[in-house]
Amino acid sequence: MKKIKRILMALAICSLSIVAVGCSSNEKKDNTKETTETKDNKNEKLSNEEIVKKINEATKEIKSSKIQAENKMVMNLAGNKTETAINMNMETSSDPVVVKMGGSMNAMGQQVSLDMYFTEDAVYSKNVITKEWVKITDPSMRKTMEAQKNASNMDQMLGIMDSVQKNLKIEDKGSEYEISYSGSDESVKEALKEAIAKSQPNLKNYMQNLSIDQFDFFYKVDKSTFMPKEYSMKTVIKISQGEKEMSFDMDLKATLSDINKVAPITLPDEVKNAKEMKTNQ
């Protein structure tokens, strides 16, 4: 049961970390790109490949953002279903990289609050019982945090989009492009497995026993800047363990705002002064 809980939690966090944009490793931003690179787009019919390329270029310029995300997941093991729901508000900023996360999780009949800060060298978490902040610098935890930070520049999500760009459905909605995909092509399966493995290294041992039955993807971008506005993903994942099989139905929705308008995030004194906690598990 403990192993199942770890898998459940890892997949839930993985799906959120993929959508946490704004922590690009680029340090400088050319503010002229938004206007010079996208001029005349209104009179131009772009191919799927060209639109995906422009989204890639625009996303690299994201330095900060606010994200409201909702992730629902149903795990089925031998006919027993467990539901998990995470509601999260996130803020990201760069130089230095800081991700602030706050929200709640309802899992296995228990609801807990989630308050965390991610920096380049530590994770800070608020104890749900004592309400005290703890600082986690354990190497294994830092490795997971670093993977999440790398995923947060959206490279993994864009890799998924690249893998199926010829099969994307792109609709011109006036001031926006709506991009969608539904299927289970081998290319998208491999891209999604790679995203899971990179954002949650602890799941690498399960990759060979992991299958993806269905993947639905929706992405809305501003037509003039190609910056993301909304994102949703539905997927059915199965993991085999010997004769047992677990299935995970995940439904993730996120809304993005204030891109490149979030002030640098500073840690409150109570977080800076948090006691360090070593984790050996």
Side-chain angles (χ1 to χ4, degrees):
M1 180 61 73
K2 288 183 178 179
K3 184 178 290 186
I4 293 172
K5 286 183 178 180
R6 286 199 296 269
I7 296 172
L8 183 66
M9 180 64 70
L11 284 171
I13 293 175
C14 167
S15 59
L16 286 174
S17 66
I18 290 175
V19 78
V21 304
C23 299
S24 174
S25 58
N26 298 327
E27 294 184 357
K28 294 183 180 179
K29 174 177 171 61
D30 182 355
N31 291 318
T32 64
K33 285 188 177 182
E34 289 185 4
T35 55
T36 59
E37 290 187 357
T38 60
K39 64 181 180 179
D40 297 329
N41 283 338
K42 292 181 180 179
N43 301 319
E44 205 177 303
K45 177 68 174 178
L46 301 177
S47 67
N48 283 12
E49 290 82 359
E50 289 171 322
I51 291 174
V52 171
K53 181 180 179 180
K54 287 183 179 292
I55 292 172
N56 271 280
E57 292 171 349
T59 303
K60 291 177 181 178
E61 300 303 315
I62 295 176
K63 301 296 182 293
S64 66
S65 65
K66 291 182 180 180
I67 307 134
Q68 184 175 17
E70 179 183 356
N71 184 25
K72 295 180 180 180
M73 182 162 56
V74 178
M75 181 187 73
N76 191 322
L77 174 62
N80 297 316
K81 292 185 178 181
T82 302
E83 297 185 8
T84 300
I86 299 178
N87 290 284
M88 190 70 67
N89 289 308
M90 292 176 275
E91 292 185 19
T92 67
S93 68
S94 59
D95 196 25
V97 171
V98 181
V99 178
K100 178 183 178 182
M101 301 174 66
S104 64
M105 178 178 70
N106 192 318
M108 297 184 177
Q110 296 181 332
Q111 183 168 335
V112 296
S113 59
L114 299 173
D115 293 286
M116 302 180 74
Y117 284 88
F118 292 85
T119 67
E120 292 187 287
D121 58 2
V123 177
Y124 299 85
S125 179
K126 192 174 185 178
N127 188 295
V128 296
I129 298 175
T130 66
K131 307 301 180 183
E132 294 181 346
W133 286 89
V134 294
K135 179 181 180 180
I136 303 169
T137 57
D138 179 81
S140 63
M141 189 65 178
R142 282 210 312 268
K143 184 178 179 180
T144 299
M145 185 277 293
E146 184 68 22
Q148 291 179 356
K149 186 189 68 148
N150 290 339
S152 65
N153 64 17
M154 288 185 71
D155 284 350
Q156 306 308 319
M157 194 197 317
L158 294 173
I160 294 171
M161 192 184 297
D162 280 338
S163 71
V164 292
Q165 61 180 257
K166 292 183 179 179
N167 296 323
L168 291 174
K169 179 181 179 182
I170 300 181
E171 297 183 87
D172 187 335
K173 295 295 185 179
S175 62
E176 300 166 335
Y177 282 120
E178 292 187 353
I179 303 162
S180 59
Y181 167 85
S182 180
S184 56
D185 298 348
E186 287 302 319
S187 57
V188 76
K189 289 181 180 180
E190 291 305 312
L192 191 54
K193 284 183 180 181
E194 182 180 350
I196 293 172
K198 286 186 176 181
S199 57
Q200 281 297 323
N202 293 334
L203 288 180
K204 283 185 178 180
N205 294 334
Y206 298 95
M207 288 300 105
Q208 62 182 2
N209 299 321
L210 185 148
S211 64
I212 298 166
D213 286 3
Q214 181 66 26
F215 182 71
D216 297 332
F217 175 90
F218 176 82
Y219 197 64
K220 182 186 289 186
V221 300
D222 184 280
K223 189 176 177 181
S224 63
T225 65
F226 292 92
M227 289 291 187
K229 299 178 73 174
E230 294 180 20
Y231 164 76
S232 66
M233 179 184 75
K234 292 182 179 181
T235 185
V236 178
I237 295 176
K238 292 182 179 179
I239 298 178
S240 299
Q241 272 190 306
E243 297 180 354
K244 296 181 179 180
E245 183 179 79
M246 294 177 287
S247 67
F248 301 88
D249 292 21
M250 291 192 290
D251 186 352
L252 171 68
K253 298 178 182 178
T255 302
L256 300 94
S257 62
D258 292 345
I259 293 177
N260 293 333
K261 295 180 181 179
V262 177
I265 300 170
T266 57
L267 300 182
D269 288 340
E270 61 179 345
V271 177
K272 290 180 182 178
N273 299 326
K275 294 180 180 180
E276 186 168 343
M277 180 180 72
K278 297 292 184 180
T279 57
N280 298 318
Q281 299 295 325

mmCIF file of all heavy atoms in Angstrom, residues 3-4 16 23 29 57 59 65 99 108 120 139 147 155 175 178 183 185 213 230 240 261 265 270 281:
data_model
loop_
_atom_site.group_PDB
_atom_site.id
_atom_site.type_symbol
_atom_site.label_atom_id
_atom_site.label_comp_id
_atom_site.label_asym_id
_atom_site.label_seq_id
_atom_site.Cartn_x
_atom_site.Cartn_y
_atom_site.Cartn_z
ATOM 1 N N LYS A 3 3.796 1.616 -1.308
ATOM 2 C CA LYS A 3 4.347 1.801 -2.648
ATOM 3 C C LYS A 3 3.304 2.400 -3.578
ATOM 4 O O LYS A 3 3.601 3.279 -4.394
ATOM 5 C CB LYS A 3 4.835 0.459 -3.198
ATOM 6 C CG LYS A 3 5.513 0.567 -4.555
ATOM 7 C CD LYS A 3 6.023 -0.780 -5.012
ATOM 8 C CE LYS A 3 7.195 -1.248 -4.173
ATOM 9 N NZ LYS A 3 7.779 -2.499 -4.701
ATOM 10 N N ILE A 4 2.069 1.946 -3.462
ATOM 11 C CA ILE A 4 0.988 2.474 -4.288
ATOM 12 C C ILE A 4 0.763 3.952 -3.987
ATOM 13 O O ILE A 4 0.570 4.773 -4.883
ATOM 14 C CB ILE A 4 -0.312 1.670 -4.058
ATOM 15 C CG1 ILE A 4 -0.134 0.243 -4.593
ATOM 16 C CG2 ILE A 4 -1.496 2.348 -4.726
ATOM 17 C CD1 ILE A 4 -1.288 -0.679 -4.245
ATOM 18 N N LEU A 16 1.234 18.171 -12.217
ATOM 19 C CA LEU A 16 1.257 19.592 -11.862
ATOM 20 C C LEU A 16 2.577 20.234 -12.242
ATOM 21 O O LEU A 16 2.618 21.372 -12.707
ATOM 22 C CB LEU A 16 1.006 19.767 -10.356
ATOM 23 C CG LEU A 16 -0.430 19.550 -9.903
ATOM 24 C CD1 LEU A 16 -0.511 19.603 -8.381
ATOM 25 C CD2 LEU A 16 -1.368 20.578 -10.503
ATOM 26 N N CYS A 23 9.877 29.034 -15.202
ATOM 27 C CA CYS A 23 11.209 28.896 -14.609
ATOM 28 C C CYS A 23 12.224 28.591 -15.689
ATOM 29 O O CYS A 23 13.053 27.700 -15.539
ATOM 30 C CB CYS A 23 11.215 27.799 -13.556
ATOM 31 S SG CYS A 23 10.096 28.136 -12.208
ATOM 32 N N LYS A 29 15.717 38.708 -21.449
ATOM 33 C CA LYS A 29 14.533 38.688 -22.295
ATOM 34 C C LYS A 29 14.602 39.813 -23.297
ATOM 35 O O LYS A 29 14.870 40.964 -22.961
ATOM 36 C CB LYS A 29 13.271 38.845 -21.445
ATOM 37 C CG LYS A 29 11.998 38.976 -22.272
ATOM 38 C CD LYS A 29 10.799 39.051 -21.371
ATOM 39 C CE LYS A 29 9.540 39.398 -22.128
ATOM 40 N NZ LYS A 29 9.205 38.410 -23.131
ATOM 41 N N GLU A 57 9.058 29.191 -29.359
ATOM 42 C CA GLU A 57 9.878 30.397 -29.233
ATOM 43 C C GLU A 57 9.316 31.326 -28.164
ATOM 44 O O GLU A 57 10.066 31.894 -27.358
ATOM 45 C CB GLU A 57 9.949 31.111 -30.582
ATOM 46 C CG GLU A 57 10.742 30.339 -31.641
ATOM 47 C CD GLU A 57 10.616 30.952 -33.028
ATOM 48 O OE1 GLU A 57 9.748 31.848 -33.204
ATOM 49 O OE2 GLU A 57 11.380 30.543 -33.926
ATOM 50 N N THR A 59 7.368 30.556 -25.585
ATOM 51 C CA THR A 59 7.429 29.959 -24.254
ATOM 52 C C THR A 59 8.810 30.110 -23.625
ATOM 53 O O THR A 59 8.931 30.230 -22.403
ATOM 54 C CB THR A 59 7.035 28.470 -24.329
ATOM 55 O OG1 THR A 59 5.732 28.359 -24.906
ATOM 56 C CG2 THR A 59 7.014 27.843 -22.957
ATOM 57 N N SER A 65 5.014 33.780 -13.883
ATOM 58 C CA SER A 65 3.592 33.577 -14.200
ATOM 59 C C SER A 65 2.826 33.201 -12.950
ATOM 60 O O SER A 65 3.409 32.869 -11.910
ATOM 61 C CB SER A 65 3.425 32.485 -15.263
ATOM 62 O OG SER A 65 3.845 31.239 -14.744
ATOM 63 N N VAL A 99 9.560 28.993 -6.863
ATOM 64 C CA VAL A 99 8.187 28.584 -7.159
ATOM 65 C C VAL A 99 7.422 28.529 -5.838
ATOM 66 O O VAL A 99 7.848 27.860 -4.897
ATOM 67 C CB VAL A 99 8.126 27.203 -7.851
ATOM 68 C CG1 VAL A 99 6.679 26.793 -8.104
ATOM 69 C CG2 VAL A 99 8.907 27.229 -9.152
ATOM 70 N N MET A 108 -7.472 9.619 -0.527
ATOM 71 C CA MET A 108 -7.775 8.479 0.331
ATOM 72 C C MET A 108 -8.579 8.900 1.556
ATOM 73 O O MET A 108 -8.324 8.469 2.682
ATOM 74 C CB MET A 108 -6.482 7.764 0.739
ATOM 75 C CG MET A 108 -5.731 7.179 -0.449
ATOM 76 S SD MET A 108 -4.272 6.235 0.017
ATOM 77 C CE MET A 108 -3.730 5.664 -1.604
ATOM 78 N N GLU A 120 16.356 26.949 -5.789
ATOM 79 C CA GLU A 120 17.347 26.178 -6.532
ATOM 80 C C GLU A 120 18.102 25.180 -5.651
ATOM 81 O O GLU A 120 18.699 24.234 -6.167
ATOM 82 C CB GLU A 120 18.325 27.122 -7.225
ATOM 83 C CG GLU A 120 17.676 27.913 -8.348
ATOM 84 C CD GLU A 120 18.682 28.727 -9.134
ATOM 85 O OE1 GLU A 120 19.153 29.738 -8.602
ATOM 86 O OE2 GLU A 120 18.988 28.333 -10.277
ATOM 87 N N PRO A 139 19.581 15.040 -0.572
ATOM 88 C CA PRO A 139 19.953 14.910 -1.980
ATOM 89 C C PRO A 139 18.876 14.315 -2.872
ATOM 90 O O PRO A 139 18.658 14.786 -3.984
ATOM 91 C CB PRO A 139 21.197 14.011 -1.931
ATOM 92 C CG PRO A 139 21.782 14.278 -0.589
ATOM 93 C CD PRO A 139 20.608 14.497 0.328
ATOM 94 N N ALA A 147 14.296 18.169 -10.966
ATOM 95 C CA ALA A 147 13.572 17.639 -12.120
ATOM 96 C C ALA A 147 12.282 18.395 -12.340
ATOM 97 O O ALA A 147 11.893 18.701 -13.470
ATOM 98 C CB ALA A 147 13.281 16.149 -11.918
ATOM 99 N N ASP A 155 9.416 22.475 -21.350
ATOM 100 C CA ASP A 155 10.071 21.688 -22.386
ATOM 101 C C ASP A 155 9.354 20.364 -22.609
ATOM 102 O O ASP A 155 9.209 19.910 -23.744
ATOM 103 C CB ASP A 155 11.528 21.420 -22.010
ATOM 104 C CG ASP A 155 12.402 22.650 -22.218
ATOM 105 O OD1 ASP A 155 11.912 23.614 -22.827
ATOM 106 O OD2 ASP A 155 13.555 22.641 -21.753
ATOM 107 N N SER A 175 -8.851 35.951 -31.706
ATOM 108 C CA SER A 175 -7.677 36.451 -30.968
ATOM 109 C C SER A 175 -6.872 35.321 -30.342
ATOM 110 O O SER A 175 -5.862 35.577 -29.681
ATOM 111 C CB SER A 175 -8.123 37.425 -29.867
ATOM 112 O OG SER A 175 -8.962 36.759 -28.927
ATOM 113 N N GLU A 178 -6.764 27.599 -30.654
ATOM 114 C CA GLU A 178 -7.099 26.466 -29.808
ATOM 115 C C GLU A 178 -6.514 25.213 -30.439
ATOM 116 O O GLU A 178 -6.810 24.885 -31.581
ATOM 117 C CB GLU A 178 -8.612 26.340 -29.637
ATOM 118 C CG GLU A 178 -9.215 27.481 -28.824
ATOM 119 C CD GLU A 178 -10.697 27.273 -28.516
ATOM 120 O OE1 GLU A 178 -11.271 26.295 -29.056
ATOM 121 O OE2 GLU A 178 -11.256 28.072 -27.758
ATOM 122 N N GLY A 183 -5.866 10.821 -28.932
ATOM 123 C CA GLY A 183 -5.433 9.576 -29.546
ATOM 124 C C GLY A 183 -4.458 8.831 -28.670
ATOM 125 O O GLY A 183 -4.318 9.098 -27.472
ATOM 126 N N ASP A 185 -1.173 7.621 -30.292
ATOM 127 C CA ASP A 185 -0.048 7.333 -31.176
ATOM 128 C C ASP A 185 1.174 6.921 -30.365
ATOM 129 O O ASP A 185 1.384 7.386 -29.244
ATOM 130 C CB ASP A 185 0.306 8.558 -32.029
ATOM 131 C CG ASP A 185 -0.840 8.982 -32.946
ATOM 132 O OD1 ASP A 185 -1.795 8.200 -33.075
ATOM 133 O OD2 ASP A 185 -0.757 10.082 -33.517
ATOM 134 N N ASP A 213 -3.060 4.347 -22.470
ATOM 135 C CA ASP A 213 -4.162 3.899 -23.312
ATOM 136 C C ASP A 213 -4.813 5.033 -24.089
ATOM 137 O O ASP A 213 -5.330 4.825 -25.183
ATOM 138 C CB ASP A 213 -5.219 3.188 -22.460
ATOM 139 C CG ASP A 213 -4.762 1.810 -22.020
ATOM 140 O OD1 ASP A 213 -3.601 1.448 -22.328
ATOM 141 O OD2 ASP A 213 -5.542 1.106 -21.368
ATOM 142 N N GLU A 230 -4.580 28.765 -21.456
ATOM 143 C CA GLU A 230 -5.239 27.649 -20.784
ATOM 144 C C GLU A 230 -4.630 26.343 -21.273
ATOM 145 O O GLU A 230 -4.084 26.263 -22.375
ATOM 146 C CB GLU A 230 -6.747 27.630 -21.078
ATOM 147 C CG GLU A 230 -7.525 28.789 -20.522
ATOM 148 C CD GLU A 230 -9.009 28.692 -20.856
ATOM 149 O OE1 GLU A 230 -9.476 27.570 -21.182
ATOM 150 O OE2 GLU A 230 -9.692 29.722 -20.802
ATOM 151 N N SER A 240 1.760 -2.137 -14.487
ATOM 152 C CA SER A 240 1.681 -3.550 -14.087
ATOM 153 C C SER A 240 2.726 -3.843 -13.027
ATOM 154 O O SER A 240 3.875 -3.397 -13.122
ATOM 155 C CB SER A 240 1.918 -4.455 -15.302
ATOM 156 O OG SER A 240 0.929 -4.222 -16.293
ATOM 157 N N LYS A 261 4.779 39.222 -15.472
ATOM 158 C CA LYS A 261 4.348 40.378 -14.680
ATOM 159 C C LYS A 261 4.442 40.121 -13.173
ATOM 160 O O LYS A 261 4.100 40.996 -12.382
ATOM 161 C CB LYS A 261 2.909 40.754 -15.048
ATOM 162 C CG LYS A 261 2.740 41.230 -16.488
ATOM 163 C CD LYS A 261 1.282 41.580 -16.784
ATOM 164 C CE LYS A 261 1.114 42.040 -18.223
ATOM 165 N NZ LYS A 261 -0.320 42.364 -18.521
ATOM 166 N N ILE A 265 9.771 36.649 -6.310
ATOM 167 C CA ILE A 265 9.224 36.067 -5.087
ATOM 168 C C ILE A 265 10.325 35.991 -4.033
ATOM 169 O O ILE A 265 11.408 35.463 -4.290
ATOM 170 C CB ILE A 265 8.662 34.662 -5.360
ATOM 171 C CG1 ILE A 265 7.549 34.744 -6.414
ATOM 172 C CG2 ILE A 265 8.133 34.031 -4.079
ATOM 173 C CD1 ILE A 265 7.090 33.380 -6.917
ATOM 174 N N GLU A 270 9.781 33.515 8.242
ATOM 175 C CA GLU A 270 9.494 32.231 8.884
ATOM 176 C C GLU A 270 9.904 31.058 8.001
ATOM 177 O O GLU A 270 10.217 29.975 8.511
ATOM 178 C CB GLU A 270 8.006 32.137 9.232
ATOM 179 C CG GLU A 270 7.078 32.218 8.025
ATOM 180 C CD GLU A 270 5.621 32.085 8.420
ATOM 181 O OE1 GLU A 270 5.360 31.644 9.562
ATOM 182 O OE2 GLU A 270 4.745 32.413 7.596
ATOM 183 N N GLN A 281 14.329 8.330 3.670
ATOM 184 C CA GLN A 281 13.495 7.323 3.010
ATOM 185 C C GLN A 281 13.424 7.593 1.533
ATOM 186 O O GLN A 281 13.334 8.728 1.129
ATOM 187 C CB GLN A 281 12.081 7.346 3.614
ATOM 188 C CG GLN A 281 12.041 7.030 5.086
ATOM 189 C CD GLN A 281 12.484 5.610 5.382
ATOM 190 O OE1 GLN A 281 12.221 4.687 4.599
ATOM 191 N NE2 GLN A 281 13.141 5.418 6.487
#
